[in-house]
Amino acid sequence: MREKQKILVVDDDRRMVKTICDILRVKGYEALPAYSGEEAVEVAKREAFDCVLMDLKMSGIDGVAALKMIKDVVPDTPVVLMSAYATKEQAEEAKLHGAAMVLTKPIDFQQVLSFFSLLRKAESVLPSDGTFTTEELEMSHTHEHL
Amino acid sequence: MNVDLIAPPDKEKPGSAAKKPWFWYWVPTAVFLIGIFSIVLLLWANRINADARRDDLITAALMDAQINAATGHLWLEEAVSGDDTADQALAEIDQAITLINIVLNGGETEHGLIAEALLDPELRGHAETLRSMLVTFKKLAQERLQDITKAGIASDLDQQFDAAFKELLGKARGLEEIITKNEAEEQVKAGRLFLCILSAWIFIVIATTAGLWSREVRRKSAEEALLKAHAQLLAQTAELTEHREHLTGLVEIRTAELTRANELLRGEIDERKRMEGEVLKLNNALELKVEERTRQLFEIQEELVRGEKLAILGQLSGSVGHELRNPLGVMSNAVYFLKMVLTDADATVREYLEIIKKEIDTSLQIITDLLDFTRTKPPQRVVISAEEVVRQSLERCTVPENVAVTVALPDGLPRLKVDPLQMGQILTNIITNGVQAMPDGGALWVAARFVGAPPCGCPEAGGHEEPPLQDFIAISVTDTGEGIAPENMIKLFQPLFTTKARGIGLGLVVCKNLVTANSGRIEVESEPGKGTTFSVFLPIERGEP
């Protein structure tokens, strides 16, 4: 097990990428930025990540297309999608293509961090499809607060 | 009409001098004139009479004087003859002279008094001649007598004496004749005068009579004319009276006609007024209707404008929501980061970070309301207790310290079958509204009660669809805030209506949509200045799996 979990943060909004990366770094993660779907795929090809946190709607290839390509390259890497305004259909489609979670912007860091800690704990025993339901995450999140 | 009747002529008008009969004036006048004439006549007669008498007396005196002279002559003859009659003769002559003097100067004779002296110059001349002749005669007589006494009577003297005597007598007779002639002339004159006076008197009488007769005739003709005129006048008066009566009748008829016309007119006026009143009433009603329609049109227009706004809102909300959520996400991340790294920051910095976080949350809530409004997600209903729903909702809300929250949930309430997330959204919204209605603090009650199936047609503020006949649990949120103005009550669930300074007026619309989507309904009661109660009626579980 590595010291730090390695997260790829993908968004065409540079400030969004920066803030998320900074928070994750402070929280003890190794965060790498990417500013487009293409770049994310390239980076994913070169390096291994514990998780990819990626915007759903981007210029160029969008989140779902990038998800598919990343999954083609590294099928075991969990990909969490972020959306400012995700429809249920989009979320369904994303999950169908292997997204671990679809978050609504602004993202709830407690939820994200919970997910990452779940990943760390379940590194060796990932669910067969590599996804978690929102309810599972919310439950864990709720439990944290309770 | 007023016609003065002319009084008949025999009727004396009161106040005017009494009309005297004609003879009232004429008889005294005639009597007076006749009297005057009579007196004049009598005076004339008297005068003539006096003259005649005087003349008679003078004549008589003259005759006496002749007689005396003659007697004296005789006596003288006698004396001459030798008788002693001389004195007697002279006495007779003196008597004759006396008589002549009386004739001349007036005086008492044996026949009567001669009142006045003889004035007629001719007669007086004659008389004076006669007197001087008598005096001469006397002187002759005396001389003769002396002669007699002297002796013998001279024949000359005798002749002279006789001649004188003869002359005297002649003179006396001449005078007498003159007088007699005068008297006759006087008498003729008197007769003529009398005749004149008589004829004048007759003329006057005749003239008077004729005048009176003619006056009478004229009077009669005038009276006849007057009577005729009066008769005409009466006839005219009668005609006039008749005419007046006719006119009066006409006037009455016209008056009656006018009165009738007037009444008709009045009736018409009343009718017109009534009609006007009705028209006015109709007009007012029409105006009210127009106002009502205008109001409805305005409402429809408002509705259309709102619909338009909502359509634009629907188009915009997706992209705008998306676009805003990104920067808000960045801001939210930044705040999270700062709170994370500034663990030892002072209270003010932490307070300000908290303010930024709250404002971001508020903005996100607005965006969420917008997105929820444009797209209500189908509820994913599960069985859950009211207590759980209330608890979760309250946890999500930030209630300030000056608001005391009381939760009154009776035991043994049936469980609900609703979408818990949507329920949380609804109650959070309502509780937040309640808290915001009490900026200076207050009390907030959250209660739940069982409500049996309502009779149909119950009043409900939410949803136009008739809710199914089933049992509900009403979760009510009561605040002690400022309340809702009555005019705002109907707009409460209209999109884009808000009384908040910040807010787009979608919260309660979303609540209502979500409640309706969960087969419930929402009601509101409010008293301005006292507070508001929102009640959410939610369906209970009916034993379905």
Side-chain angles (χ1 to χ4, degrees):
Chain A
M1 188 186 280
R2 283 167 293 184
E3 281 295 309
K4 287 180 181 176
Q5 283 179 292
K6 195 173 171 184
I7 313 292
L8 177 63
V9 181
V10 188
D11 200 320
D12 55 354
D13 184 338
R14 286 182 169 266
R15 289 198 183 86
M16 181 65 83
V17 173
K18 175 177 167 53
T19 51
I20 293 171
C21 286
D22 286 348
I23 290 165
L24 291 178
R25 282 172 197 140
V26 172
K27 286 289 181 183
Y29 297 88
E30 187 183 348
L32 268 81
Y35 302 108
S36 67
E38 294 86 342
E39 189 184 350
V41 174
E42 290 303 314
V43 175
K45 279 179 186 169
R46 288 200 308 266
E47 297 179 44
F49 293 93
D50 294 293
C51 186
V52 176
L53 192 58
M54 184 164 63
D55 189 22
L56 188 61
K57 194 182 173 198
M58 289 181 291
S59 53
I61 59 168
D62 71 358
V64 177
L67 167 68
K68 282 193 249 176
M69 293 165 75
I70 289 168
K71 279 289 176 186
D72 287 342
V73 180
V74 277
D76 294 336
T77 303
V79 176
V80 174
L81 289 175
M82 304 178 293
S83 168
Y85 181 49
T87 62
K88 194 174 175 63
E89 289 71 29
Q90 281 175 313
E92 290 297 321
E93 191 193 357
K95 282 193 177 176
L96 198 66
H97 291 95
M101 216 167 38
V102 180
L103 299 175
T104 304
K105 280 182 180 175
I107 54 170
D108 185 341
F109 275 99
Q110 295 296 341
Q111 198 177 356
V112 174
L113 296 176
S114 299
F115 178 70
F116 291 161
S117 55
L118 269 178
L119 284 179
R120 185 189 284 271
K121 285 174 191 167
E123 216 168 21
S124 53
V125 282
L126 273 173
S128 56
D129 60 352
T131 63
F132 293 88
T133 62
T134 309
E135 284 76 18
E136 281 174 315
L137 285 167
E138 275 184 355
M139 290 304 279
S140 68
H141 171 70
T142 309
H143 280 296
E144 252 177 44
H145 279 265
L146 284 173
Chain B
M1 192 181 282
N2 201 5
V3 176
D4 280 329
L5 282 174
I6 295 171
D10 55 353
K11 249 188 193 170
E12 288 174 8
K13 276 192 179 175
S16 67
K19 178 90 175 167
K20 300 289 192 303
W22 62 274
F23 51 84
W24 187 263
Y25 300 104
W26 281 99
V27 166
T29 311
V31 168
F32 176 72
L33 286 173
I34 290 168
I36 293 292
F37 276 113
S38 300
I39 287 165
V40 169
L41 204 61
L42 279 171
L43 286 174
W44 270 102
N46 194 30
R47 175 75 185 162
I48 289 165
N49 209 20
D51 286 351
R53 176 142 179 87
R54 196 193 61 184
D55 287 349
D56 284 346
L57 284 173
I58 289 170
T59 308
L62 285 174
M63 280 181 76
D64 283 349
Q66 276 183 70
I67 291 166
N68 286 340
T71 307
H73 188 257
L74 279 174
W75 283 113
L76 194 60
E77 289 287 336
E78 285 294 320
V80 169
S81 306
D83 292 342
D84 190 15
T85 55
D87 291 337
Q88 287 177 348
L90 288 174
E92 286 293 332
I93 293 166
D94 283 339
Q95 183 66 29
I97 290 167
T98 306
L99 282 172
I100 295 299
N101 278 334
I102 287 171
V103 167
L104 275 172
N105 304 316
E108 186 69 41
T109 67
E110 64 185 69
H111 304 290
L113 180 67
I114 296 172
E116 39 187 43
L118 191 62
L119 294 174
D120 188 88
E122 190 189 355
L123 285 176
R124 198 172 176 86
H126 285 303
E128 281 173 354
T129 308
L130 191 59
R131 190 175 60 179
S132 64
M133 281 173 76
L134 272 172
V135 170
T136 307
F137 180 64
K138 186 184 174 184
K139 204 167 121 183
L140 285 171
Q142 282 171 336
E143 285 175 3
R144 175 119 164 112
L145 284 169
Q146 279 174 355
D147 286 342
I148 291 168
T149 54
K150 279 174 194 177
I153 300 167
S155 58
D156 281 347
L157 198 60
D158 279 346
Q159 285 173 358
Q160 205 177 349
F161 181 74
D162 284 343
F165 182 69
K166 281 178 187 171
E167 194 181 351
L168 180 71
L169 283 181
K171 197 75 184 176
R173 277 191 199 109
L175 185 61
E176 200 182 316
E177 278 170 11
I178 289 166
I179 289 170
T180 307
K181 192 180 159 200
N182 277 353
E183 195 176 358
E185 280 175 3
E186 287 285 332
Q187 277 176 352
V188 169
K189 265 189 195 171
R192 280 183 193 158
L193 188 66
F194 181 75
L195 275 176
C196 274
I197 290 168
L198 187 65
S199 59
W201 197 84
I202 287 167
F203 174 75
I204 287 168
V205 168
I206 288 170
T208 307
T209 309
L212 290 176
W213 179 77
S214 105
R215 193 186 179 282
E216 183 65 15
V217 166
R218 280 206 313 274
R219 191 186 63 80
K220 275 191 177 169
S221 72
E223 197 175 297
E224 274 171 17
L226 202 61
L227 281 171
K228 199 174 162 191
H230 183 241
Q232 278 181 357
L233 197 63
L234 280 179
Q236 282 175 358
T237 306
E239 201 179 329
L240 272 175
T241 307
E242 197 185 341
H243 193 59
R244 188 182 60 180
E245 279 168 8
H246 176 64
L247 279 178
T248 309
L250 277 180
V251 166
E252 276 171 10
I253 290 168
R254 288 289 153 82
T255 307
E257 282 175 2
L258 276 175
T259 307
R260 207 161 47 237
N262 207 10
E263 277 168 10
L264 281 173
L265 205 60
R266 196 163 290 151
E268 277 180 16
I269 288 168
D270 287 347
E271 180 71 8
R272 185 71 57 85
K273 278 184 182 165
R274 198 178 58 75
M275 296 290 277
E276 276 176 6
E278 276 180 17
V279 166
L280 203 64
K281 221 183 292 173
L282 286 172
N283 208 10
N284 287 342
L286 201 62
E287 275 179 12
L288 284 178
K289 272 188 186 171
V290 167
E291 272 175 23
E292 175 67 17
R293 289 289 153 84
T294 310
R295 197 181 55 74
Q296 286 176 357
L297 278 173
F298 272 123
E299 277 175 12
I300 290 167
Q301 194 190 14
E302 265 180 35
E303 193 72 29
L304 283 171
V305 170
R306 201 161 50 232
E308 186 103 353
K309 279 184 185 172
L310 290 178
I312 294 167
L313 196 66
Q315 291 168 3
L316 284 175
S317 56
S319 54
V320 170
H322 180 260
E323 292 307 318
L324 283 177
R325 268 183 174 169
N326 269 323
L328 284 171
V330 175
M331 286 156 72
S332 184
N333 291 347
V335 172
Y336 188 89
F337 177 81
L338 288 173
K339 281 169 85 173
M340 197 169 61
V341 296
L342 296 174
T343 47
D344 53 351
D346 62 23
T348 312
V349 173
R350 285 204 299 277
E351 188 194 346
Y352 271 81
L353 286 173
E354 196 56 38
I355 287 171
I356 296 169
K357 179 78 176 102
K358 290 280 177 201
E359 292 303 307
I360 291 167
D361 288 347
T362 306
S363 308
L364 286 169
Q365 186 58 51
I366 290 170
I367 290 164
T368 306
D369 282 347
L370 257 175
L371 296 174
D372 288 344
F373 169 69
T374 52
R375 188 201 58 180
T376 301
K377 294 173 191 162
Q380 299 188 343
R381 294 165 74 170
V382 297
V383 176
I384 187 169
S385 71
E387 189 187 359
E388 182 67 17
V389 170
V390 171
R391 189 182 56 79
Q392 284 185 9
S393 304
L394 276 172
E395 272 174 11
R396 290 195 187 192
C397 295
T398 312
V399 180
E401 285 176 0
N402 58 5
V403 174
V405 181
T406 310
V407 180
L409 301 172
D411 293 331
L413 282 175
R415 294 207 296 173
L416 301 165
K417 183 159 189 200
V418 289
D419 184 325
L421 287 176
Q422 290 181 348
M423 284 311 108
Q425 207 173 339
I426 292 162
L427 287 179
T428 304
N429 207 319
I430 291 170
I431 290 165
T432 307
N433 279 347
V435 169
Q436 287 175 352
M438 301 181 286
D440 300 325
L444 189 84
W445 288 275
V446 183
R449 63 195 160 94
F450 176 78
V451 180
C456 62
C458 64
E460 47 152 343
H464 295 290
E465 300 155 18
E466 193 69 23
L469 292 174
Q470 66 173 86
D471 297 331
F472 289 90
I473 284 174
I475 299 172
S476 57
V477 178
T478 304
D479 65 62
T480 57
E482 57 214 17
I484 300 162
E487 64 268 22
N488 289 336
M489 287 292 276
I490 52 167
K491 301 180 184 170
L492 216 52
F493 294 96
Q494 286 176 357
L496 306 180
F497 171 77
T498 182
T499 58
K500 293 179 191 172
R502 295 159 71 186
I504 54 170
L506 288 172
L508 283 173
V509 187
V510 170
C511 284
K512 194 185 116 185
N513 291 346
L514 292 177
V515 169
T516 308
N518 283 277
S519 308
R521 68 177 196 277
I522 189 165
E523 287 178 9
V524 60
E525 289 171 51
S526 183
E527 199 174 341
K530 293 205 171 174
T532 308
T533 300
F534 279 93
S535 300
V536 182
F537 293 77
L538 299 169
I540 62 169
E541 181 213 6
R542 286 197 279 188
E544 294 135 358

